[in-house]
Amino acid sequence: MIRKASQTLEGWEKAKRYRPECGARLTGGKRCKRSVAIRPPEGWGIGALADRCRLHGGLSKRPRKK
């Protein structure tokens, strides 16, 4: 399980293959399989790992509403 709001990431959490998938809807109805982005340290107040990949807004300033 990956900790969302930890301010220190373990070595295995930095590897892309161990991070969860983005899951954003693509054209054609498929889901994005890229791994989620790691936020820079100044954004760790809303979680060290983003909910989406870099392409789908993982490094945006605000947290995504669920």
Side-chain angles (χ1 to χ4, degrees):
M1 191 67 175
I2 294 181
R3 298 179 312 279
K4 287 288 220 180
S6 72
Q7 296 196 358
T8 57
L9 292 174
E10 306 272 338
W12 61 271
E13 289 174 322
K14 292 179 184 174
K16 283 187 178 181
R17 67 176 173 251
Y18 297 126
R19 286 189 249 152
E21 292 181 350
C22 170
R25 291 272 180 193
L26 303 175
T27 55
K30 293 186 179 180
R31 293 187 158 271
C32 178
K33 294 186 184 273
R34 297 180 71 185
S35 60
V36 298
I38 295 178
R39 287 197 178 102
E42 52 270 10
W44 282 349
I46 53 176
L49 290 176
D51 293 328
R52 296 287 188 217
C53 65
R54 302 174 73 114
L55 185 70
H56 294 113
L59 295 178
S60 62
K61 302 285 185 202
R62 58 172 175 68
R64 204 178 96 236
K65 295 192 179 189
K66 294 185 180 182

